[in-house]
């Protein structure tokens, strides 16, 4: 057996290098939440025109995931504090939270705040789908409610 002092191989270092290579090649940071993307909406008693306010995460979240995982494979669950909020809704009010999971494992839970600019008018609604259009901007928002 060759000893390290005699120029032999140190197999524990080779195994450690192989594990590090695997981690570097097979995993990466993925942004799963950002503070610009409206995740859902809440009826906020804004006017009689059936307006809603867009909900934004409190902060962005990035997690370390396998590189073959697509963001579309993540599960987002929005829970509102109150389904029938009353105006006025203020920018700093916590209106709910969002939980993000992958493969049944919770990755993050973040508070949701009203967007100061994302006000929507209800166009169409069924028990499973809601279609809204931006009040002040030409933004279309489709919210699909999954059966649990």
């Amino acid at each position: 057996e060759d000893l390290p002092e005699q120029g032999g191989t140190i197999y524990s270092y080779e195994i450690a290098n192989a594990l590090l290579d695997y981690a570097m090649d097979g995993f990466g940071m993925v942004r799963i939440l950002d503070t610009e993307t409206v995740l859902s909406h809440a009826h906020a008693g804004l006017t009689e025109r059936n307006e809603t306010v867009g909900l934004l995460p409190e902060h962005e979240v990035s997690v370390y995931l396998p590189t073959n995982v697509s963001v579309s494979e993540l599960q987002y669950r929005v829970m509102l504090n109150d389904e029938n909020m009353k105006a006025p809704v203020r920018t700093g009010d916590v209106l709910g939270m969002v939980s993000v999971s992958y493969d049944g494992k919770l990755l993050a839970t973040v508070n949701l705040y009203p967007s100061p600019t994302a006000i929507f008018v209800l166009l169409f609604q069924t028990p499973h789908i809601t279609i809204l259009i931006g009040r002040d901007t030409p933004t279309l928002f489709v919210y699909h409610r999954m059966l649990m």
Side-chain angles (χ1 to χ4, degrees):
E1 172 181 338
D2 289 334
L3 297 175
E5 299 86 32
Q6 300 170 347
T9 302
I10 302 174
Y11 292 104
S12 59
Y13 290 138
E14 287 186 7
I15 293 169
N17 274 340
L19 286 172
L20 289 171
D21 287 343
Y22 170 77
M24 297 297 282
D25 294 340
F27 293 83
M29 291 300 289
V30 177
R31 182 177 296 161
I32 60 172
L33 290 171
D34 67 67
T35 58
E36 302 295 318
T37 302
V38 173
L39 295 178
S40 186
H41 67 281
H43 295 279
L46 296 172
T47 69
E48 297 176 10
R49 295 188 317 168
N50 245 350
E51 290 182 340
T52 64
V53 63
L55 301 177
L56 298 171
E58 178 179 18
H59 54 81
E60 76 176 37
V61 176
S62 295
V63 295
Y64 207 55
L65 288 174
T67 54
N68 63 347
V69 172
S70 167
V71 175
S72 65
E73 296 177 67
L74 302 176
Q75 295 85 40
Y76 292 81
R77 182 168 181 228
V78 174
M79 296 149 286
L80 298 178
N81 292 343
D82 185 359
E83 291 284 336
N84 300 308
M85 291 169 223
K86 300 292 181 215
V89 173
R90 292 178 178 78
T91 304
D93 292 345
V94 177
L95 300 183
M97 63 179 157
V98 59
S99 294
V100 186
S101 301
Y102 171 68
D103 197 26
K105 294 177 179 56
L106 182 64
L107 301 175
T109 299
V110 175
N111 287 331
L112 292 172
Y113 290 90
S115 166
T117 58
I119 309 270
F120 297 94
V121 177
L122 180 66
L123 290 180
F124 175 78
Q125 186 171 29
T126 70
H128 304 291
I129 193 165
T130 301
I131 301 176
L132 307 158
I133 190 165
R135 181 184 72 183
D136 302 320
T137 59
T139 304
L140 187 65
F141 185 78
V142 178
Y143 174 68
H144 185 261
R145 189 179 309 245
M146 302 293 289
L147 294 175
M148 298 278 180

